[in-house]
Amino acid sequence: MTQDFLTRRSRLASSSPITASFEFFPPKSEKMAENLWSVAERLEPLAPSFVSVTYGAGGTTRETTHKTVARFLKETDLRPAAHLTCVGASKGEVDEIIREYWDLGVRSLVALRGDPLNGIGSIYEPHADGYAYASDLVAGIKRIADFDISVSGYPERHPESADWQGEIDNLKRKVDAGANRVITQYFFDNDMFEDYLERVTRAGITIPVIPGILPIHNFEQTVTFSAKCGTSIPDWLARRFAGLHNDPETRKLVGAGIAYEQVMDLVDRGISDFHFYTMNRADLTYAICHMLGMGPQAREKKAA
């Protein structure tokens, strides 16, 4: 065995048990639905703390998000957290959705402002009769029922934030309104995440801040989306995927390796809880979590 392997194994053995949550998006077709449930079946044995289901821009996936969450409750042991946004709906309409989720048995929500109706980069305009911002939505949810609420955080600042003071002030408003945890946008520079944690701590925010991890399946698509959401792509990351455009199998191995390295470095920095953006694919997320000791065989060994 190499010294590096032994060191990593020792780090995992001595650290707090690693936990994770997974994000899915609602399927747009029957074929995509079949794929999602295959992915969920594959990942369920990892016993995630919860699985979140996204909500399309302007509420465009309201019905499919609800159906997906309902199916998770009915057919799996997974704990679903439904995404909810402020965009394109009145307070009355959003409150109705919140009550429907509570009556369904959902106890966790992810409260977001949401992207502007005309897409990322356009000007956000609150609904005239709606919740204006995520902090307002969190307060509205808490008035209705005692949901467990996750909110978003941005280690590189939200694209619309003018400065760090405004960024952290906005996060604190969400926390003061009743948020239970922060889930961050994905990032690839752990130093930036550590700097973000320091800013959050200095602001007196004490709820958990969960790093978002994106295992890369398609580097070109990741670059395009990252430019829109404000995530930087380090030069070293681009070099890892250079020349692999027509080599999907190697890309997959590289993507898993990069995400595993990132998580292990965060473990060294004291982090033990992670949120994986699965892109409705199980392969990389399962492999990474298994290496981190989350697989069923690892849990059986610990129980023994």
Side-chain angles (χ1 to χ4, degrees):
M1 295 184 183
T2 66
Q3 184 60 43
D4 183 62
F5 175 83
L6 292 172
T7 300
R8 287 175 183 265
R9 187 175 66 177
S10 175
R11 283 150 56 189
L12 285 173
S14 61
S15 64
S16 300
I18 292 177
T19 58
S21 52
F22 305 139
E23 180 174 294
F24 303 113
F25 57 83
K28 297 179 181 179
S29 66
E30 187 61 36
K31 183 177 181 180
M32 291 176 70
E34 292 176 3
N35 174 73
L36 173 58
W37 297 112
S38 175
V39 169
E41 183 178 7
R42 176 66 168 152
L43 296 179
E44 186 173 7
L46 297 174
S49 49
F50 64 90
V51 295
S52 66
V53 183
T54 63
Y55 198 68
T60 53
T61 66
R62 171 179 172 177
E63 294 301 323
T64 50
T65 296
H66 187 277
K67 289 179 180 178
T68 302
V69 169
R71 188 170 175 182
F72 272 126
L73 279 173
K74 183 178 180 180
E75 300 183 16
T76 76
D77 291 327
L78 297 168
R79 172 189 163 201
H83 283 220
L84 194 59
T85 72
C86 302
V87 180
S90 68
K91 287 183 181 179
E93 291 170 323
V94 174
D95 289 352
E96 180 184 357
I97 296 170
I98 295 168
R99 293 189 181 95
E100 287 176 355
Y101 276 129
W102 186 266
D103 292 343
L104 186 65
V106 175
R107 295 296 180 263
S108 300
L109 295 174
V110 180
L112 308 165
R113 187 203 73 178
D115 296 329
L117 284 173
N118 293 322
I120 298 175
S122 60
I123 297 175
Y124 170 73
E125 296 182 2
H127 190 286
D129 299 316
Y131 291 107
Y133 297 100
S135 55
D136 304 314
L137 177 57
V138 171
I141 293 170
K142 286 294 188 180
R143 282 194 295 269
I144 292 173
D146 189 22
F147 281 93
D148 177 88
I149 303 175
S150 300
V151 295
S152 59
Y154 297 86
E156 300 180 60
R157 293 211 322 261
H158 190 280
E160 297 175 28
S161 291
D163 52 43
W164 273 112
Q165 186 64 51
E167 179 73 31
I168 299 302
D169 286 348
N170 183 52
L171 179 63
K172 195 168 191 314
R173 283 191 290 271
K174 293 187 282 189
V175 174
D176 291 344
N180 300 96
R181 77 182 51 75
V182 179
I183 299 173
T184 78
Q185 173 65 276
Y186 70 86
F187 58 93
F188 301 109
D189 185 333
N190 286 354
D191 289 340
M192 287 184 176
F193 176 73
E194 193 162 32
D195 290 343
Y196 179 71
L197 282 185
E198 290 180 5
R199 290 186 172 96
V200 168
T201 301
R202 286 199 302 268
I205 296 171
T206 59
I207 64 173
V209 178
I210 312 302
I213 304 297
L214 176 68
I216 298 176
H217 294 88
N218 185 307
F219 181 69
E220 289 75 18
Q221 289 181 0
T222 299
V223 170
T224 299
F225 186 75
S226 297
K228 296 179 180 179
C229 68
T231 297
S232 60
I233 303 292
D235 291 340
W236 64 261
L237 183 62
R239 289 195 295 271
R240 294 280 190 97
F241 287 97
L244 298 180
H245 183 72
N246 296 315
D247 190 347
E249 290 303 314
T250 303
R251 284 205 316 267
K252 184 185 298 186
L253 294 172
V254 170
I258 289 171
Y260 177 68
E261 288 176 359
Q262 180 181 13
V263 170
M264 286 305 304
D265 181 65
L266 290 169
V267 169
D268 284 345
R269 302 180 193 222
I271 307 299
S272 59
D273 196 6
F274 302 89
H275 185 73
F276 287 90
Y277 296 100
T278 70
M279 306 304 292
N280 284 17
R281 297 182 63 168
D283 45 6
L284 300 195
T285 298
Y286 187 91
I288 296 161
C289 289
H290 187 79
M291 287 190 289
L292 294 171
M294 290 181 61
Q297 292 181 342
R299 291 203 311 276
E300 289 172 3
K301 184 176 180 180
K302 289 178 182 178

